[in-house]
Amino acid sequence: MIQQKVQVASEEPTVFAMATQQFNAAADKLGLNDGLRDVLGSCKREFTVNFPVKLDSGDIQVFTGHRVHHNVTRGPAKGGIRYHPNVTLDEVKALAMWMTWKCAVTNIPFGGGKGGVTCNPKSMSQGELERLTRRYATEISPLIGTVSDIPAPDVNTNGQTMAWIMDTISMHRGYTEPGIVTGKPISIGGTLGRTEATGRGVMLTAQEAAKHLGLSFEGARVVVQGYGNVGYWGAYLLQQLGCKVIAASDTRGAIYAEQGLDTEELLAHKTDSGSVAGFPGSDSITDAELLELPCEILVPAALEQQITGENAPKINTKIIVEGANGPTTPEADAIFYDRDIMVVPDILANAGGVVVSYFEWVQDIQRLFWEKDDVNERLESVMTRSFDQVLAASQEHKTDLRTAALLVAVERVADAVKIRGIYP
Ligand code: GLU
């Protein structure tokens, strides 16, 4: 049976409608003309594939996947591939648009793309995942390439997934093509520092935000929704700087410990048991309760639309650092602006991953690899510069950081479109 998620009517806008609403707020402030607004508000390419995979049982199942290019004016499309039961074309389009702004706000020479397959990876074997990945890579091979579109990991994909994609495309072409994906294992052209890069960016932007607000990290309470790659590394690095991580969650449960959680022990527990739930010395809470815990720094690092007009009035934090893409709805943004809660937006807060992906791609092309310190120093300089530019724009335009980040990003892409001109 083809797994396709039916878009159900809900109070929340679709994810792409939400991304469009955010873009429109910036386009209004920039006074973009209608033509440019149409160009930047739509996705350049939307590619959907339905493909069969042989399951371990011997049955054949048809899966649906997508690869979308939102805008490639500033460089090749760049963005992750997600495996999740709720993947839809609408979601992939929004994620691709956010990638365009993420690359522009950090000023790296890429456009925005994204991919996804509607599947439940948690119920699939490694063999099934490998066959799904290799077939999906083949299906989207007309789009991907070192100079055209470079995928990376996202929700439920990792270095192994990237290695299968790189191998599949390399087999087709007859030569090894390391620059076709980033987030690869080190042994095949990955970069030092990529695994923790998104979490490091979360830590660096949290640090800049705290500095601006005069908030000390010493004992600052951190709550993390989602203890995957981004949530774990963000929490671990914040803890290293003196913060106290008091709560964490994943798809199977949420936990709280007033005295603080040891982030490394918590990861070991999750790796062994499959969840943060049941971590010794912690109390079990609901995900809704987790988001409303009093804290100084809240890191939503799970999925979109977690913080809405419903729960935003009950959120009790000083800074929200968006490890996830699109966790906060526009309605919630307005509430936080009124309540003086600083939201470091996704396209800035979680850009560390794609910035180090860019470093990986540069190293692959040059066949010249950097030391870890070089990667981390360059990342820090990109993240702090980007944060400063966004903060300055928010002060100049008297707006929240999300709109400010979009102002910086959209203006860069709009300038590139204008100077290149419309072909023919
Ligand atoms: N999936 C990550 C993101 O949403 C990383 C993308 C990349 O490195 O290309 O930013």
Side-chain angles (χ1 to χ4, degrees), residues 137-395:
T138 305
E139 296 285 343
I140 63 167
S141 63
L143 290 189
I144 63 175
T146 304
V147 294
S148 57
D149 174 4
I150 307 113
D154 197 77
V155 174
N156 294 327
T157 56
N158 55 27
Q160 175 64 78
T161 323
M162 296 306 114
W164 289 327
I165 296 175
M166 184 272 226
D167 182 70
T168 301
I169 302 297
S170 298
M171 287 299 111
H172 293 176
R173 306 218 170 139
Y175 53 84
T176 295
E177 179 93 48
I180 195 160
V181 285
T182 59
K184 295 179 295 295
I186 306 291
S187 55
I188 53 168
T191 182
L192 297 167
R194 175 62 183 86
T195 307
E196 62 269 39
T198 312
R200 185 171 289 278
V202 164
M203 174 274 280
L204 290 166
T205 51
Q207 203 172 27
E208 293 305 300
K211 233 190 271 171
H212 177 69
L213 296 179
L215 180 87
S216 162
F217 264 10
E218 205 45 58
R221 291 164 301 174
V222 175
V223 168
V224 187
Q225 186 202 33
Y227 210 64
N229 178 267
V230 180
Y232 164 68
W233 280 106
Y236 169 79
L237 292 167
L238 285 167
Q239 187 173 55
Q240 298 289 76
L241 295 179
C243 294
K244 188 164 77 168
V245 179
I246 58 164
S249 69
D250 57 33
T251 50
R252 297 187 172 115
I255 54 161
Y256 168 69
E258 195 189 347
Q259 74 283 4
L261 301 156
D262 182 308
T263 52
E264 281 175 290
E265 280 176 20
L266 181 58
L267 180 68
H269 172 81
K270 183 178 160 80
T271 309
D272 287 348
S273 70
S275 173
V276 295
F279 183 60
S282 72
D283 295 326
S284 163
I285 55 173
T286 65
D287 199 51
E289 286 167 339
L290 173 128
L291 289 173
E292 294 166 17
L293 284 171
C295 62
E296 278 69 47
I297 302 171
L298 173 63
V299 182
L303 292 169
E304 306 89 49
Q305 297 180 324
Q306 299 298 300
I307 303 177
T308 63
E310 273 292 292
N311 57 5
K314 295 178 261 174
I315 281 174
N316 192 347
T317 190
K318 297 207 163 55
I319 308 172
I320 296 174
V321 189
E322 295 186 330
N325 291 310
T328 310
T329 66
E331 212 183 338
D333 269 333
I335 294 168
F336 292 136
Y337 192 61
D338 284 346
R339 292 183 56 207
D340 244 345
I341 293 174
M342 188 182 225
V343 181
V344 187
D346 46 9
I347 59 169
L348 175 63
N350 71 38
V354 76
V355 169
V356 176
S357 276
Y358 165 52
F359 299 158
E360 178 174 335
W361 180 76
V362 167
Q363 294 170 73
D364 287 338
I365 287 172
Q366 299 187 337
R367 306 292 198 264
L368 181 65
F369 291 87
W370 309 352
E371 299 296 332
K372 193 170 192 170
D373 284 352
D374 291 339
V375 173
N376 287 344
E377 273 165 35
R378 282 177 189 263
L379 173 63
E380 180 163 355
S381 118
V382 172
M383 295 307 293
T384 51
R385 180 195 66 208
S386 307
F387 187 94
D388 288 350
Q389 288 173 348
V390 169
L391 186 65
S394 83
Q395 286 161 346

